[in-house]
Amino acid sequence: MNQIVVGIVGAGQLGRMMALAGIPMGLRFEFLDSNPQAPAASLGKLHVGSINDASALAQLADAVDVMTFEVENIPADVFSAVADKTVLAPSAKALGMAQDRLCEKKLFHKLQIPTARFAPVDSEQDLQEAADDLGFPCVLKTRRMGYDGRGQVFLHSDTELSDAWRKLDSNELLLEEFVDFEQEMSLIAARNRSGATVFYPLTTNTHCNGILHTSQAPSGNTELTAKARHYVHNLLDDLDYCGVLTLELFVTSAGLLANEIAPRVHNSGHWSIEGAATSQFENHLRAILDWPLGSTAVTGHSAMINFLGCLPTPEQSLDIPGLHYHSYDKAARPSRKIGHATIVAEQPDACEQAVQRVLEFYTPAT
Ligand code: AMP
């Protein structure tokens, strides 16, 4: 039997974890990445090239049965141009929409998904007017290419506007009201080509300098879960979506506000490798191949701790009951995600205690 070949644009840790989920199902992987030593390189054939290069994408598309991505900054027109060569999942439309915070916000509004108040900012004059309207504090963000806290500036007064405008150096910005959130959560769903959909439980996330630091699942009450699922259902239907989609949310006293979507497997779903019957990585592959989706039932109370900039040793970590150790085979650099630990415990208290034990010997280097 011919093996099914999955193409992944990007060969970072997300691609690596996808391959680690797919190889046992008999899948073969090919990747496109400019780094010959990328974390997924040892798990399939690596095409070394730029994700911006139409011919490199075409070469990957020609070699695979289905093509997906683990990075969001592929030019959507370049991605869409290979649609006649292979199956693209998620679609170029979903990718393009998620690349622009303004398009994303407009989609949220069309689907009646609440967000913080915002205004597009294309000039310094717009910035002043938007700040007058939204008030302080507020957050100025680039519409494109912002991630892990990059491309955003928190503003507290009029005197900071000019510096922020110069710092972000773009005429495609967005000013957002500051959200005094109680918690940050995410909801991850998978939808296959036939429309079957599964949801993971709400996950609570904490950040360190804008970078995800910890996740805990399951979280939230039934009311929040129902609301979040309703929002994600609407997004999936509107985009005729195929694959895993993540919605990042702020929990406020007035309810949930959508922050942004990620059209891919997400760092806040890494706990699902050991903490759910089927991981987000396996369900993404099942979805893009239009296979039946797996149960998302949790196996206990889970936590994920990102190892940012430094990696504790397995000897230190594996002594903790229920801990699973993941290293991405990446060199350590400040703020870089180089591994994570998942903890699965029967009781929430035991899970929390294990997290505290990890934090005794691991401090993020950001
Ligand atoms: P983002 O790149 O939009 O995901 O933002 C990164 C992090 O910055 C979020 O996870 C929040 O912790 C924080 N943040 C972003 N936007 C806002 C906002 N409007 N109000 C308060 N905090 C925010």
Side-chain angles (χ1 to χ4, degrees), residues 101 116 139 141 146-149 152 154 176-179 181 184 207 210 248 250 259-260:
R101 287 185 193 272
V139 192
K141 299 182 176 180
Y147 65 98
D148 285 347
Q152 67 181 43
F154 286 76
E176 253 177 49
E177 190 177 46
F178 176 82
V179 180
F181 54 79
E184 289 188 84
H207 294 80
E248 296 178 22
F250 298 124
N259 179 25
E260 62 175 351

Side-chain angles (χ1 to χ4, degrees), residues 47-321:
H47 302 247
V48 179
S50 165
I51 61 166
N52 302 318
D53 176 0
S55 63
L57 248 76
Q59 198 189 49
L60 179 67
D62 276 333
V64 302
D65 298 297
V66 59
M67 192 157 113
T68 189
F69 49 85
E70 58 126 55
V71 284
E72 272 171 66
N73 47 355
I74 316 156
D77 54 340
V78 173
F79 190 65
S80 141
V82 296
D84 58 342
K85 294 180 180 293
T86 190
V87 176
L88 301 182
S91 66
K93 179 184 164 199
L95 173 68
M97 201 279 309
Q99 283 173 341
D100 184 332
R101 287 185 193 272
L102 184 60
C103 295
E104 216 171 54
K105 289 273 199 295
K106 286 182 176 164
L107 179 64
F108 290 150
H109 278 211
K110 182 179 100 174
L111 300 176
Q112 298 181 327
I113 302 173
T115 67
R117 291 198 307 139
F118 67 93
V121 169
D122 299 340
S123 67
E124 202 170 345
Q125 166 87 16
D126 284 352
L127 176 57
Q128 183 65 60
E129 286 170 15
D132 290 344
D133 181 33
L134 299 178
F136 293 98
C138 52
V139 192
L140 186 63
K141 299 182 176 180
T142 53
R143 277 171 55 179
R144 296 172 176 278
M145 308 291 270
Y147 65 98
D148 285 347
R150 285 178 231 193
Q152 67 181 43
V153 182
F154 286 76
L155 297 169
H156 307 91
S157 75
D158 276 324
T159 57
E160 296 170 356
L161 297 185
S162 286
D163 277 355
W165 171 256
R166 274 196 297 276
K167 182 173 175 200
L168 293 186
D169 190 28
S170 161
N171 54 5
E172 281 198 318
L173 301 172
L174 191 82
L175 191 70
E176 253 177 49
E177 190 177 46
F178 176 82
V179 180
D180 188 15
F181 54 79
E182 292 165 359
Q183 280 181 320
E184 289 188 84
M185 289 190 176
S186 52
L187 189 79
I188 296 179
R191 182 180 192 265
N192 71 12
R193 202 165 291 289
S194 306
T197 302
V198 291
F199 293 96
Y200 288 88
L202 273 171
T203 300
T204 302
N205 303 314
T206 66
H207 294 80
C208 180
N209 297 335
I211 308 171
L212 184 71
H213 185 216
T214 67
S215 294
Q216 280 182 290
S219 294
N221 57 30
T222 41
E223 197 186 324
L224 283 185
T225 300
K227 267 253 151 60
R229 286 187 178 192
H230 175 67
Y231 297 153
V232 172
H233 232 303
N234 288 350
L235 288 162
L236 293 169
D237 283 350
D238 187 84
L239 294 166
D240 193 17
Y241 195 84
C242 181
V244 159
L245 179 98
T246 308
L247 176 64
E248 296 178 22
L249 296 150
F250 298 124
V251 184
T252 73
S253 52
L256 292 175
L257 297 179
N259 179 25
E260 62 175 351
I261 63 169
R264 55 171 171 79
V265 288
H266 195 257
N267 195 169
S268 68
H270 290 2
W271 64 267
S272 66
I273 297 175
E274 294 90 5
T278 316
S279 76
Q280 62 162 348
F281 301 101
E282 181 172 336
N283 263 335
H284 181 68
L285 295 167
R286 292 185 185 212
I288 66 175
L289 293 165
D290 204 22
W291 288 353
L293 299 175
S295 162
T296 56
V298 295
T299 58
H301 293 269
S302 292
M304 188 281 313
I305 302 165
N306 258 350
F307 294 138
L308 302 175
C310 64
L311 198 64
T313 63
E315 287 80 1
Q316 280 173 311
S317 318
L318 291 170
D319 191 31
I320 298 175

